[in-house]
């Protein structure tokens, strides 16, 4: 994928999914990862509707978790990134808030994953014009990263 | 006139009747025997696992009906020939045929499955108590740490077929027992008894003539001693080939020999056998590279897969204002609208602070620009320096060794910041230096996928459970 060979990557992921289905193991998490991988690949190619299709299929699987697995928030964050590319900031904000609620309920507000969602909500508020809200979310995520990852971090 | 497909169906029915003794169901072990004795498939770990898995899916786990039996045959045939077979058949009740038809059917099924380069392999008798004890999940988990050394021993004496089947012939396996310190710890009589259970479908009585084969002194002087002895018993020793799985089971049975009375646990007996007698070591990276063949070390070329239909649709959907794509979008938005929270319109308060911020920023910029201009004006008012003036400073003395000026050296690296100061200040002040000076907008952070490289424990437990049955 890093070399830009998206089509070969998509073919390989689909083949892996086909061979995995031959054995018919009832492992939902594998299919969740596969759908998100394919969605990210199509999103990088610019095929946002195709990516949205896979994210919605992932949502049907993650709804079975019912607030027990933090991977349920992955589909909502990726759907929000598609809305950001379409400049639909309100839809993106609603999706990020849903992801935030899931992660706060399962993991808590002190983890790196929740800090990334706070950062993303701040970005959306910046584009909507709510600078005070954005400033608050950015500061919150910054301090969480400093406490967990350290001072000399990429974020 | 009967079609070919109906003829084939009748022949399969007749073999089914033979092994079921006229009943409607076959026991699982009889199905195994049928597949292996009739040379329908090779005796492999993979095939054993496949059969177990598919037979376990039937309603009755210990028996399978004729319909399921038929599906298995077609499934296996399609795998070996890489084809998708489609038969149109009717499920008639089986009838008792004559003896001549049975022999014909047995031969015709061998023709159906034209297996070129077929190698006869023997398999263990799973009805034995010793082998049932050997099929223990704890022992397999323990042996995973020694898998590479075991495979190394196996690979040194093994042969390969065109179907990538690794096997050891018994002519090489028995001398291997002499090399490994097994004979010094176990009698030849016990070894013969254990090996006799691994030679299915051939059956042998453990007599003095069979025990003689495992005598070290006699076999050393005669290289063809083993072949000759087996030919006297009526068995061709070239057909007695062991796979890696049966080889490992054999060693486990030797290990369980030390636990005849079942006083201690089977795991401790195998540990004693492997670590103290065979003196095998756990897996290391060095052993990995030794076991890799030269062919595997070559970088494989990437396989070219055909283009998937999904990609073509995706590119079609980018800028296509068709109704089908737009309706999909509408449906998704309708579904999401029900789940997500509703935002309240509070845009009036947002606009007000925006105006304040813009004013404050402008005032600060004005102050900075005014200060700069004032400095420039002051410098412009001063007269220029002349060398003959009294107020002028004297020139610096010239020393023999030119000492570097600290001011000039600091100017080499990013202005007034040296490398020493740069690292300390970069993380602290970089954000404050960058944002007001450049137009940097905030960016999204993507969630990271942490895909585990190992198989989860539940999947392993399922595999072990299926292999037991």
């Amino acid at each position: 994928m890093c070399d830009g060979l998206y089509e070969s990557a998509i073919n390989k992921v689909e083949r892996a999914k086909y061979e995995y289905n031959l054995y018919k193991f009832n492992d939902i998490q594998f299919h969740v990862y596969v759908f998100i991988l394919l969605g990210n690949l199509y999103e990088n190619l610019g095929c946002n509707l195709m990516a949205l299709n896979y994210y919605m299929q992932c949502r049907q699987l993650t709804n079975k978790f019912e607030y027990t697995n933090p991977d349920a928030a992955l589909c909502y964050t990726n759907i929000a990134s598609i809305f950001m590319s379409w400049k639909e900031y309100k839809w993106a904000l609603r999706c990020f808030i849903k992801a935030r609620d899931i992660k706060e309920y399962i993991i808590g507000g002190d983890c790196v994953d929740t800090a990334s969602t706070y950062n993303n909500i701040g970005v959306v508020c910046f584009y909507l014009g709510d600078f005070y809200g954005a400033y608050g979310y950015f500061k919150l995520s910054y301090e969480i990263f400093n406490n967990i990852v350290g001072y000399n971090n990429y974020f | 006139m009967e079609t070919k497909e109906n003829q084939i169906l009748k022949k399969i029915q007749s073999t089914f009747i033979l092994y079921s003794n006229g009943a409607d169901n076959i026991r699982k072990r009889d199905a195994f025997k049928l597949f292996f004795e009739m040379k329908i498939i090779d005796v492999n770990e993979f095939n054993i696992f496949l059969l177990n898995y598919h037979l376990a899916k039937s309603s009755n786990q210990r028996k399978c009906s004729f319909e399921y039996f038929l599906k298995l045959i077609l499934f296996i045939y399609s795998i070996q020939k890489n084809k998708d077979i489609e038969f149109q058949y009717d499920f008639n009740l089986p009838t008792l045929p004559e003896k001549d038809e049975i022999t014909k059917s047995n031969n015709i099924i061998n023709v159906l499955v034209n297996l070129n380069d077929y190698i006869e392999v023997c398999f263990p008798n799973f009805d034995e108590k010793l082998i049932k004890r050997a099929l223990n999940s704890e022992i397999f988990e323990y042996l995973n740490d020694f898998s590479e050394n075991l495979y190394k021993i196996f690979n040194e004496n093994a042969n390969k077929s065109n179907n990538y089947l690794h096997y050891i012939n018994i002519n090489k396996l028995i001398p291997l027992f002499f090399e490994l310190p097994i004979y010094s710890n176990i009698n030849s009589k016990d070894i013969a008894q254990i090996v006799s259970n691994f030679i299915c479908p051939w059956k042998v009585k453990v007599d003095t003539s069979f025990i003689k084969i495992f005598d070290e002194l006699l076999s050393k002087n005669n290289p063809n001693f083993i072949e000759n002895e087996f030919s006297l018993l009526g068995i061709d020793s070239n057909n007695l080939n062991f796979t890696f799985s049966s080889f490992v089971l054999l060693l486990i049975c030797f290990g369980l020999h030390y636990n005849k009375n079942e006083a201690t646990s089977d795991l401790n007996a195998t540990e004693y056998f492997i670590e103290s007698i065979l003196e095998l070591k756990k897996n290391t990276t060095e052993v990995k590279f030794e076991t890799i063949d030269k062919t595997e070390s070559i970088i494989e070329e990437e396989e070219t897969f055909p283009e998937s239909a999904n990609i073509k649709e995706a590119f079609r959907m980018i800028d296509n204002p068709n109704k089908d794509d737009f309706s999909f979008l509408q449906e998704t938005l309708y579904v999401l609208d029900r789940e997500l929270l509703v935002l309240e319109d509070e845009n009036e308060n947002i606009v007000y602070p925006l105006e304040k911020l813009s004013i404050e920023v402008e005032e600060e910029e004005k102050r900075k620009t005014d200060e700069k201009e004032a400095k420039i004006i002051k410098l412009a008012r001063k007269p220029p320096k002349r060398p003959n003036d009294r107020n002028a400073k004297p020139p610096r003395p010239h020393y023999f060794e030119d000492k570097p000026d600290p001011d000039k050296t600091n100017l080499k690296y990013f202005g007034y910041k040296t490398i020493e100061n740069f690292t300390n200040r970069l993380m602290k002040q970089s954000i404050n230096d960058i944002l007001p000076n450049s137009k940097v907008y905030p960016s999204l952070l993507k969630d990271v996928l942490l895909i585990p490289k190992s198989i989860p424990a539940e999947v392993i437990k399922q595999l072990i459970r299926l292999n037991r049955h």
Side-chain angles (χ1 to χ4, degrees):
Chain A
M1 193 171 115
C2 295
D3 295 331
L5 302 170
Y6 292 111
E7 293 180 0
S8 64
I10 288 164
N11 278 324
K12 287 181 182 176
V13 173
E14 286 179 352
R15 178 157 179 167
K17 187 181 154 194
Y18 173 73
E19 287 183 359
Y20 191 83
N21 281 326
L22 285 176
Y23 296 105
K24 293 184 183 176
F25 292 126
N26 293 323
D27 191 7
I28 291 168
Q29 209 152 15
F30 177 83
H31 291 100
V32 168
Y33 291 142
V34 164
F35 286 137
I36 287 165
L37 264 177
L38 287 167
N40 284 327
L41 288 168
Y42 281 114
E43 192 178 344
N44 287 321
L45 278 171
C47 309
N48 289 322
L49 282 173
M50 203 71 194
L52 213 168
N53 183 15
Y54 282 111
Y55 294 143
M56 295 302 286
Q57 287 182 25
C58 178
R59 188 182 76 67
Q60 289 179 2
L61 292 175
T62 54
N63 282 332
K64 292 179 186 177
F65 292 150
E66 293 182 357
Y67 289 82
T68 57
N69 195 334
D71 291 334
L74 283 173
C75 57
Y76 289 108
T77 55
N78 285 304
I79 289 165
S81 66
I82 289 170
F83 284 128
M84 290 289 283
S85 65
W86 283 336
K87 299 185 181 178
E88 296 284 339
Y89 300 121
K90 287 189 180 178
W91 283 103
L93 210 170
R94 293 167 75 184
C95 292
F96 279 129
I97 286 165
K98 176 84 177 180
R100 181 198 71 181
D101 293 337
I102 290 166
K103 287 186 178 178
E104 281 181 350
Y105 184 80
I106 295 166
I107 296 169
D110 297 334
C111 294
V112 172
D113 291 331
T114 52
S116 65
T117 52
Y118 292 143
N119 182 63
N120 293 334
I121 291 167
V123 170
V124 176
C125 291
F126 178 84
Y127 283 104
L128 280 172
D130 186 3
F131 296 109
Y132 285 110
Y135 176 73
Y137 279 110
F138 283 139
K139 196 166 185 182
L140 214 176
S141 65
Y142 179 74
E143 288 183 359
I144 291 167
F145 281 127
N146 277 331
N147 283 322
I148 293 168
V149 183
Y151 214 26
N152 297 326
N153 58 23
Y154 177 73
F155 303 107
Chain B
M1 197 172 138
E2 289 183 349
T3 59
K4 273 188 184 177
E5 295 167 353
N6 281 327
Q7 287 177 1
I8 290 163
L9 221 199
K10 282 188 180 177
K11 285 149 196 171
I12 293 168
Q13 280 177 359
S14 59
T15 54
F16 183 85
I17 290 158
L18 218 193
Y19 283 86
S20 67
N21 295 320
D24 291 331
N25 291 321
I26 283 186
R27 287 184 302 177
K28 198 187 283 187
R29 22 179 150 152
D30 293 330
F32 270 83
K33 279 184 191 174
L34 198 157
F35 286 119
F36 295 136
E37 287 178 9
M38 302 303 292
K39 304 175 191 178
I40 289 170
I41 55 170
D42 294 327
V43 180
N44 256 342
E45 289 175 354
F46 180 72
N47 290 331
I48 291 166
F49 162 70
L50 259 185
L51 286 173
N52 264 319
Y53 182 70
H54 285 286
L55 286 168
K57 277 166 72 175
S58 62
S59 60
N60 196 347
Q61 287 185 0
R62 291 185 184 177
K63 295 183 180 179
C64 69
S65 63
F66 177 69
E67 294 177 11
Y68 207 82
F69 178 74
L70 222 183
K71 283 182 189 175
L72 277 174
I73 286 175
L74 297 174
F75 175 75
I76 290 159
Y77 185 70
S78 64
I79 284 171
Q80 286 180 329
K81 296 289 180 180
N82 294 323
K83 283 183 194 173
D84 292 328
I85 293 169
E86 292 179 359
F87 279 118
Q88 295 177 358
Y89 46 77
D90 296 325
F91 286 111
N92 295 318
L93 290 171
T95 58
L96 288 168
E98 294 179 1
K99 284 187 182 178
D100 293 330
E101 289 184 2
I102 289 166
T103 54
K104 280 184 189 175
S105 64
N106 291 335
N107 291 323
I108 286 160
I109 282 175
N110 290 327
V111 172
L112 260 182
V113 185
N114 281 322
L115 295 172
N116 296 321
D117 299 327
Y118 182 80
I119 290 154
E120 293 191 16
V121 177
C122 51
F123 54 92
N125 188 5
F126 291 105
D127 291 333
E128 278 268 331
K129 283 186 183 179
L130 215 177
I131 291 166
K132 282 184 183 177
R133 277 168 62 195
L135 292 170
N136 192 354
S137 63
E138 292 178 352
I139 293 169
F140 285 123
E141 288 178 5
Y142 169 71
L143 284 174
N144 269 326
D145 293 332
F146 300 93
S147 61
E148 288 171 358
N149 279 314
L150 286 168
Y151 189 71
K152 190 182 173 186
I153 294 166
F154 179 82
N155 204 12
E156 285 172 356
N157 297 314
N159 296 322
K160 275 188 193 177
S161 68
N162 291 326
N163 293 326
Y164 300 100
L165 179 71
H166 294 241
Y167 60 92
I168 287 181
N169 197 351
I170 201 162
N171 294 323
K172 288 188 179 177
L173 199 153
I174 291 168
L176 208 161
F177 292 159
F178 304 147
E179 290 178 5
L180 300 172
I182 291 170
Y183 267 85
S184 58
N185 292 293
I186 304 173
N187 292 324
S188 60
K189 196 189 279 186
D190 294 330
I191 290 168
Q193 197 170 6
I194 290 165
V195 172
S196 66
N197 291 321
F198 282 86
I199 304 173
C200 289
W202 291 277
K203 292 181 184 177
V204 176
K205 284 186 182 178
V206 183
D207 294 334
T208 55
S209 59
F210 185 69
I211 293 165
K212 196 198 284 185
I213 295 167
F214 298 92
D215 196 348
E216 185 178 359
L217 295 169
L218 292 171
S219 63
K220 270 187 181 178
N221 296 321
N222 293 323
N224 294 325
F225 176 73
I226 294 165
E227 288 183 8
N228 295 327
E229 289 293 323
F230 270 112
S231 64
L232 291 172
L233 293 170
I235 297 167
D236 189 3
S237 66
N238 291 319
N239 293 329
L240 297 175
N241 295 312
F242 290 78
T243 58
F244 183 66
S245 60
S246 57
F247 175 73
V248 170
L249 275 173
L250 229 180
L251 292 177
I252 292 167
C253 290
F254 287 140
L256 294 175
H257 175 78
Y258 293 95
N259 193 11
K260 281 183 189 175
N261 298 321
E262 296 184 6
T264 61
S265 66
D266 293 336
L267 216 175
N268 290 327
T270 52
E271 284 177 2
Y272 176 73
F273 179 71
I274 284 166
E275 289 180 0
S276 63
I277 292 170
L278 294 179
E279 293 179 354
L280 290 176
K281 292 181 183 177
K282 290 195 177 182
N283 295 331
T284 56
T285 54
E286 291 179 356
V287 177
K288 274 187 192 177
F289 289 114
E290 288 176 2
T291 55
I292 289 168
D293 292 334
K294 287 182 182 178
T295 56
E296 289 179 2
S297 64
I298 295 166
I299 294 165
E300 293 178 357
E301 294 180 358
E302 287 187 1
E303 295 180 4
T304 56
F305 300 117
E307 290 183 358
S308 66
N310 289 327
I311 291 168
K312 290 182 183 176
E313 282 187 9
F315 283 113
R316 181 182 68 77
M317 283 157 79
I318 287 171
D319 295 323
N320 195 348
N322 279 332
K323 286 183 185 177
D324 295 332
D325 303 328
F326 193 65
S327 65
F328 166 71
L329 210 167
Q330 277 183 339
E331 287 175 1
T332 53
L333 293 174
Y334 184 70
V335 169
L336 287 171
D337 198 4
R338 280 184 284 176
E339 280 188 359
L340 302 172
L341 289 171
V342 178
L343 295 174
E344 296 177 356
D345 293 330
E346 293 178 350
N347 290 322
E348 294 179 353
N349 293 323
I350 289 164
V351 174
Y352 184 68
L354 215 179
E355 291 178 350
K356 275 191 182 177
L357 285 169
S358 62
I359 290 163
E360 288 175 357
V361 167
E362 287 177 358
E363 287 178 354
E364 287 180 359
E365 286 180 354
K366 280 185 182 177
R367 283 175 197 171
K368 287 182 181 176
T369 53
D370 291 335
E371 287 175 359
K372 282 183 183 177
E373 287 176 357
K375 284 182 184 177
I376 291 163
I377 290 161
K378 281 184 184 177
L379 289 169
R381 285 177 184 173
K382 276 187 182 177
K385 290 182 182 177
R386 293 177 185 177
N388 293 324
D389 286 339
R390 292 178 185 176
N391 292 326
K393 287 183 182 178
R396 286 182 183 176
H398 178 75
Y399 294 99
F400 183 72
E401 292 177 353
D402 287 330
K403 289 183 182 179
D405 292 333
D407 294 333
K408 285 187 182 177
T409 54
N410 289 327
L411 287 170
K412 285 181 188 177
Y413 308 107
F414 307 101
Y416 62 94
K417 294 177 188 175
T418 60
I419 287 170
E420 293 175 354
N421 294 325
F422 190 75
T423 53
N424 288 324
R425 290 184 193 178
L426 183 65
M427 296 300 163
K428 290 182 188 179
Q429 296 179 358
S430 64
I431 294 164
N432 293 325
D433 291 332
I434 287 166
L435 279 175
N437 292 327
S438 64
K439 291 181 182 178
V440 175
Y441 292 100
S443 63
L444 293 172
L445 292 173
K446 279 246 175 183
D447 289 334
V448 177
L449 282 176
L450 293 172
I451 296 166
K453 286 182 182 178
S454 61
I455 301 168
E458 294 177 354
V459 176
I460 292 169
K461 284 180 187 174
Q462 275 185 9
L463 288 172
I464 290 163
R465 255 184 249 153
L466 291 169
N467 270 323
R468 265 190 199 166
H469 296 299

